[in-house]
């Protein structure tokens, strides 16, 4: 499982969403944390490394995957 960290601006934008969209975004974030690479809603962004988008209705969740070696 991957850990999700919000950018400050993303956090404030999330708080402005209506309750139904917040639930949909939370579900999408759970899906991303379980597997950030495989879903019909996930697309790799062109021209950048390890950056993806996940479509939730008319919204897009943009995220960066950073792999850290476990100790």
């Amino acid at each position: 499982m991957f850990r999700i960290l919000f950018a400050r601006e993303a956090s404030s934008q999330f708080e402005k969403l209506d309750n139904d969209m917040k639930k949909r975004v939370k579900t999408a974030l759970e899906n991303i944390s379980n597997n950030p690479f495989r879903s019909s809603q996930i697309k790799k962004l062109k021209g950048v490394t390890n950056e993806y988008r996940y479509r939730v209705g008319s919204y897009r969740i943009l995220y960066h995957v950073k792999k850290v070696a476990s100790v």
Side-chain angles (χ1 to χ4, degrees), residues 1-24:
M1 182 176 278
F2 288 80
R3 183 172 59 161
I4 295 179
L5 303 173
F6 276 91
R8 186 176 308 160
E9 185 176 331
S11 182
S12 66
Q13 290 295 319
F14 178 78
E15 292 303 321
K16 294 177 185 178
L17 297 174
D18 63 57
N19 288 334
D20 180 54
M21 186 53 74
K22 279 184 183 179
K23 288 179 187 176
R24 292 175 66 190

Side-chain angles (χ1 to χ4, degrees), residues 3-70:
R3 183 172 59 161
I4 295 179
L5 303 173
F6 276 91
R8 186 176 308 160
E9 185 176 331
S11 182
S12 66
Q13 290 295 319
F14 178 78
E15 292 303 321
K16 294 177 185 178
L17 297 174
D18 63 57
N19 288 334
D20 180 54
M21 186 53 74
K22 279 184 183 179
K23 288 179 187 176
R24 292 175 66 190
V25 169
K26 284 181 183 180
T27 299
L29 293 173
E30 288 174 11
N31 291 339
I32 291 169
S33 72
N34 288 325
N35 190 341
F37 309 107
R38 302 264 186 226
S39 170
S40 62
Q41 303 298 326
I42 294 173
K43 302 290 182 197
K44 183 164 181 354
L45 297 179
K46 296 179 182 179
V48 288
T49 304
N50 296 329
E51 298 206 10
Y52 302 83
R53 72 164 171 81
Y54 189 109
R55 183 176 177 174
V56 181
S58 62
Y59 290 94
R60 304 295 182 276
I61 299 171
L62 302 176
Y63 62 96
H64 176 85
V65 177
K66 181 178 178 181
K67 294 182 182 180
V68 179
S70 59

